[in-house]
Amino acid sequence: MDNYVKTTFLQHALRIILGSFMVLAAIGHLTFQREEFQAQVPTWIPLSKDLVVLLSGIVEFALGIGMLFWRKRRVLVGIALGVFFILIFPGNVAQYTNSIDAFGLDTDRARLIRLFFQPVLVLWALWSTGAVKAFKQRSTL
């Protein structure tokens, strides 16, 4: 699979936006939103909630920077970010099933709606980096 696929202006713009959001989320993980992010860590994870938040913040920062600047590995970064969004999904489910208020999500309805946004983030990461196109090109070979 190619590590770089030519993308459109819209894909480029949306990749920059998503990468910027990831860097901002990472800053929140590492500083002023640590308690809010701890609320999403499922109780079954055998690590301290603070450690999970710090580690995920570091990963988010790296992925955000990769989305913004690592042109030659853009497809791989998009795939990695899509996988990351899948891996953190249990935290969103835990927030919903345990009725935990965080990030302004203070109703079960709001928390449920958020669950449906996670696949959008996965597709956004894959599409904006050209990973979807790379998968299609690979399947036609």
Side-chain angles (χ1 to χ4, degrees), residues 78-98:
I79 293 167
L81 183 55
V83 168
F84 177 78
F85 286 140
I86 292 167
L87 291 174
I88 64 170
F89 187 67
N92 297 343
V93 172
Q95 184 180 5
Y96 170 69
T97 58
N98 297 319

Side-chain angles (χ1 to χ4, degrees), residues 10 14 22 33 37 39 41 50 85-86 90 102-103 110 134:
L10 180 60
L14 290 175
M22 293 305 295
Q33 289 182 310
F37 281 110
V41 177
D50 195 47
F85 286 140
I86 292 167
F103 303 107

Side-chain angles (χ1 to χ4, degrees), residues 2-41:
D2 290 335
N3 290 319
Y4 172 79
V5 173
K6 187 167 175 54
T7 56
T8 66
F9 176 79
L10 180 60
Q11 286 172 297
H12 176 74
L14 290 175
R15 180 180 50 79
I16 297 299
I17 290 168
L18 184 56
S20 299
F21 283 153
M22 293 305 295
V23 170
L24 289 172
I27 292 168
H29 271 80
L30 300 173
T31 59
F32 65 97
Q33 289 182 310
R34 278 173 57 186
E35 285 186 37
E36 296 251 17
F37 281 110
Q38 289 173 19
Q40 293 183 290
V41 177

Side-chain angles (χ1 to χ4, degrees), residues 18 78 82 85 117-132:
L18 184 56
F85 286 140
F117 189 64
Q118 202 74 10
V120 173
L121 289 173
V122 173
L123 291 173
W124 185 353
L126 296 175
W127 181 78
S128 68
T129 58
V132 171

